[in-house]
Amino acid sequence: MSLNSWFAMLLVTSFDLAHFSKGELCEPLKAGKSVDARGFQIFCYVGEEKQLSAYFASAYVQIETQSKTSDPIIYTGYSEEQVVVQRTEQQSNWLSLVLPWQKGMSVSLNPFNQSAIGIEVESEDYKVNLVLKRISVYRLSALVCGVVLFFWAPFLAGNAGFFYGTGILTGVFASILLLLYLLYKFTPLKRAGGFIGAFTLFGGLSLVVYFLNSILTNFREIAFRYSQYLFIYVVVASIISFFVCYRIGPPQNERSITVLQWTLQLFGLLMIFASSHYQEVSLTIIVIVVALHNFPSGLVRRLNVYWICKFPPAVKLLTEEQYNEQGVKETKKALNDLRKHVSSPDCDTWKLVSRLKTPLRVPKYQRETAVVF
């Protein structure tokens, strides 16, 4: 991409960030209404008003085509001019022809921002639908998991089960990166010179992006076709990761546990921030969560004592029948305990007999249920 193109894109973005242009290319999108199109078409989404009730809202554009061989090419931006610039730049970029990671059948949008979406399907009619969800289950789950992870981080940091579980998962994903590194390490082009080696590295990273995108897009098909190999790979990688974690052992150093706790809490805050496009409310929740976590424990105890004194809990009184039943039960229990103590070798019998007015009743008490006094 040339410097002039970057400057033009930046100028268009800054100029049209607040308002859409009124060109003829833009087709407005409305939720629940399907739009028919053909070839290259730009669609506009004006965005929803920010409300607290729409904190978990999500929006995405869904594309329906008859062909299953090729996916539509999608361009996103703040204005239709920016979309046109992106399309022009992509057509002049040879890498986009090899690695089409901008293709797909849907694209996510910020429900509160205005957006322009360019869709291109070659020689075929297609339909475009705007889907708006007031509450997204994924975003709600991300918020709950983020809050739970933040407050449970001190416990999870020192838990052995959590250590082995995360270690096994990390080992499975790290084995993929290790395999890609070995493929690059032993590639013939690496020995051909520095320029070819850099080119191979660039192409390798791009292939990684395309490979990961293909896995995410066709995961079900890959898992169904190669389920046996996938199962064997996961089992072998899990066993190796378990032995490595067992050899290392859970962290025992207090500072290591503290660093792990901070890392988990950071992931929890990131999950809270990513749980909604309403970033102002997300930051407010993060501030509240951090403040509650660092609230002085002494002040909490004082507030709890003050609350109990100010609003004492209601005491449930016993009825006469309940009082008599509890008295008989507790008296019988206390007498049995006393009898066991008198019969045990730990009891000093002579000292006990010297203190009683009727010492001759002690042997009888040990055999029966009579009261000594």
Side-chain angles (χ1 to χ4, degrees):
M1 184 180 292
S2 62
L3 182 61
N4 294 332
S5 301
W6 275 108
F7 179 76
M9 183 180 296
L10 180 61
L11 182 61
V12 169
T13 303
S14 60
F15 181 76
D16 292 311
L17 184 60
H19 302 282
F20 279 121
S21 61
K22 304 300 181 179
E24 299 179 357
L25 293 176
C26 187
E27 180 74 22
L29 289 176
K30 295 182 179 180
K33 184 178 179 181
S34 178
V35 179
D36 297 329
R38 184 180 179 86
F40 174 70
Q41 180 67 43
I42 299 179
F43 303 90
C44 298
Y45 171 64
V46 295
E48 298 290 328
E49 182 181 358
K50 285 188 175 182
Q51 298 178 354
L52 189 60
S53 59
Y55 178 76
F56 299 106
S58 64
Y60 63 93
V61 174
Q62 193 173 19
I63 307 169
E64 299 178 4
T65 60
Q66 297 295 331
S67 177
K68 297 182 180 181
T69 57
S70 61
D71 295 333
I73 302 178
I74 303 174
Y75 313 90
T76 57
Y78 294 105
S79 64
E80 54 187 279
E81 285 84 357
Q82 186 180 7
V83 170
V84 172
V85 172
Q86 289 184 6
R87 180 171 180 261
T88 304
E89 293 297 335
Q90 192 207 32
Q91 289 178 348
S92 61
N93 188 2
W94 66 270
L95 190 60
S96 63
L97 302 176
V98 182
L99 304 173
W101 53 67
Q102 293 181 344
K103 293 185 177 182
M105 300 303 296
S106 63
V107 57
S108 299
L109 302 176
N110 188 330
F112 306 114
N113 290 349
Q114 54 189 16
S115 305
I117 309 99
I119 302 175
E120 184 174 7
V121 179
E122 296 182 358
S123 303
E124 186 179 347
D125 296 334
Y126 57 94
K127 293 183 179 181
V128 178
N129 298 314
L130 175 63
V131 181
L132 288 176
K133 291 185 178 181
R134 200 70 176 177
I135 298 178
S136 175
V137 179
Y138 299 104
R139 297 190 178 277
L140 177 60
S141 303
L143 177 64
V144 175
C145 293
V147 174
V148 172
L149 181 61
F150 183 85
F151 284 105
W152 280 16
F155 168 74
L156 295 177
N159 186 269
F162 178 79
F163 170 77
Y164 285 108
T166 53
I168 291 174
L169 292 177
T170 305
V172 171
F173 286 104
S175 61
I176 299 178
L177 300 179
L178 179 61
L179 179 62
L180 294 175
Y181 172 77
L182 293 177
L183 290 176
Y184 163 71
K185 191 73 175 179
F186 296 101
T187 181
L189 293 177
K190 184 176 181 297
R191 305 186 184 95
F195 175 77
I196 300 180
F199 178 81
T200 305
L201 177 61
F202 177 74
L205 295 176
S206 302
L207 289 175
V208 170
V209 176
Y210 177 66
F211 176 70
L212 294 177
N213 182 74
S214 300
I215 290 180
L216 294 176
T217 306
N218 307 299
F219 178 76
R220 292 183 179 180
E221 182 178 356
I222 294 175
F224 179 76
R225 288 186 178 183
Y226 309 101
S227 57
Q228 297 179 352
Y229 299 102
L230 181 63
F231 178 76
I232 294 174
Y233 167 78
V234 172
V235 170
V236 173
S238 300
I239 293 176
I240 296 175
S241 302
F242 173 78
F243 282 123
V244 172
C245 293
Y246 182 77
R247 175 64 181 84
I248 299 175
Q252 301 295 334
N253 187 273
E254 185 176 354
R255 291 187 176 181
S256 300
I257 296 177
T258 303
V259 171
L260 181 58
Q261 172 187 337
W262 291 346
T263 304
L264 294 176
Q265 289 178 335
L266 179 61
F267 275 109
L269 295 180
L270 291 177
M271 292 178 66
I272 296 175
F273 183 77
S275 63
S276 175
H277 290 286
Y278 204 161
Q279 298 179 353
E280 294 85 351
V281 179
S282 298
L283 292 175
T284 304
I285 295 177
I286 290 176
V287 172
I288 294 175
V289 168
V290 174
L292 289 177
H293 178 72
N294 295 279
F295 204 75
S297 57
L299 185 58
V300 173
R301 288 193 295 268
R302 292 181 182 178
L303 292 176
N304 190 22
V305 172
Y306 173 78
W307 181 266
I308 293 176
C309 295
K310 192 70 175 179
F311 305 98
V315 180
K316 184 179 179 181
L317 301 178
L318 298 176
T319 61
E320 184 177 359
E321 182 180 358
Q322 292 175 343
Y323 174 78
N324 293 331
E325 291 180 358
Q326 186 174 359
V328 173
K329 180 180 178 181
E330 295 297 329
T331 301
K332 185 181 296 185
K333 180 181 177 182
L335 289 176
N336 291 331
D337 294 340
L338 179 60
R339 184 176 296 106
K340 292 179 181 179
H341 175 69
V342 172
S343 303
S344 65
D346 298 333
C347 177
D348 190 352
T349 308
W350 294 105
K351 185 177 180 179
L352 178 63
V353 169
S354 63
R355 293 183 177 183
L356 296 177
K357 294 182 180 180
T358 54
L360 296 178
R361 298 181 60 182
V362 174
K364 184 179 180 181
Y365 173 74
Q366 293 178 350
R367 297 188 302 268
E368 301 177 1
T369 59
V371 181
V372 178
F373 307 100

